[in-house]
Amino acid sequence: AEAILCFSLSAGATGDALAEVGEAEGSPAALSLLLERDVPEALAAAMQSNGSSLRLLGQAQLAGESPEELLARFEPGEPLSLRMAAEVWPEVPLVQRSSYIGLT
């Protein structure tokens, strides 16, 4: 199964990323740092705050836009909303034992 997850990174996080990589490196390096360091934490926090019981099977990937499109709209120091897709463990409903009586 696949889940689409939407969440945002704060303006402070995006600004901190640019400050950490330096102005000379610019937005591409800051975005790369955000994707590697901050997105996994923000994704986990968003899932937890929503009370989600989803368990990811792997890493979430950008959904609905390319990295180039994301970079084009990325502004350090401004909030950044992301839409990501991830494979998740399927939820198996528990069946009461009485449901199996008489089956052969």
Side-chain angles (χ1 to χ4, degrees):
E2 183 177 80
I4 301 294
L5 309 157
C6 300
F7 60 98
S8 295
L9 295 172
S10 70
T14 62
D16 289 349
L18 183 62
E20 195 168 322
V21 298
E23 294 283 338
E25 295 294 320
S27 294
L31 181 58
S32 178
L33 179 63
L34 281 172
L35 291 174
E36 290 174 19
R37 182 190 65 193
D38 296 334
V39 165
E41 291 175 14
L43 179 60
M47 288 174 58
Q48 187 175 26
S49 71
N50 290 338
S52 175
S53 62
L54 295 176
R55 296 182 336 194
L56 302 183
L57 280 171
Q59 288 188 322
Q61 305 292 321
L62 287 174
E65 69 183 334
S66 69
E68 293 80 16
E69 292 168 328
L70 179 61
L71 181 59
R73 69 180 182 86
F74 174 64
E75 291 290 330
E78 297 294 323
L80 178 65
S81 60
L82 295 166
R83 187 169 183 253
M84 304 190 85
E87 291 293 318
V88 295
W89 285 99
E91 291 188 21
V92 179
L94 296 177
V95 178
Q96 293 186 359
R97 187 169 196 203
S98 63
S99 301
Y100 291 107
I101 294 176
L103 295 177
T104 56

